[in-house]
Amino acid sequence: MIDFSTLERLDFQWGRIGYTIHNQHWRRGYGKEAVKAALTIAHKDLKFHRIEAHINVDNTASMKLAESAGMKFECKREGFIFEFGEWTDNLIYFINFNDMSPPSNGN
């Protein structure tokens, strides 16, 4: 499952991507293929300039997936989201479409 949230339009054209891959399909390349295709849609069809992924600090697989899809690490936002009964940190990965081509759906 992949979803987008609009964070800000107007002068920003800024969104967030979220993704979940069922565990029986992990490590088969489906996540990379799906996220790359979704980023292409975000750029070409939804006209976003910037997409962020907000990733829990212990989710190494998600970090690797974001990087493999062409996203870059930006920062750690401390106390960013209320999860599991407390404010938790997230790592921010991003892609800007003005300074690079959208990801291709190929390898």
Side-chain angles (χ1 to χ4, degrees):
M1 177 187 79
I2 295 183
D3 67 86
F4 291 108
S5 301
T6 299
L7 299 176
E8 179 74 37
R9 283 293 188 176
L10 301 172
D11 293 335
F12 293 94
Q13 301 304 323
W14 174 31
R16 184 202 57 84
I17 188 171
Y19 43 82
T20 303
I21 306 299
H22 195 277
N23 64 353
Q24 69 191 95
H25 302 294
W26 289 353
R27 296 181 184 86
R28 294 185 182 181
Y30 300 140
K32 178 180 177 179
E33 181 179 342
V35 170
K36 280 186 163 189
L39 289 172
T40 298
I41 291 168
H43 178 227
K44 290 186 174 185
D45 298 328
L46 300 176
K47 308 298 185 203
F48 281 112
H49 158 71
R50 176 187 175 93
I51 293 290
E52 292 182 355
H54 303 164
I55 301 173
N56 288 12
V57 295
D58 61 346
N59 192 341
T60 305
S62 186
M63 292 175 228
K64 288 180 182 178
L65 174 55
E67 289 173 358
S68 74
M71 301 181 84
K72 297 177 193 173
F73 173 75
E74 182 173 55
C75 65
K76 178 170 90 171
R77 292 190 184 146
E78 296 183 10
F80 185 65
I81 186 168
F82 194 77
E83 291 183 307
F84 316 114
E86 63 183 341
W87 288 99
T88 61
D89 301 344
N90 270 188
L91 303 178
I92 306 304
Y93 282 75
F94 78 100
I95 188 167
N96 282 342
F97 296 114
N98 69 324
D99 54 21
M100 61 186 70
S101 300
S104 68
N105 289 332
N107 294 329

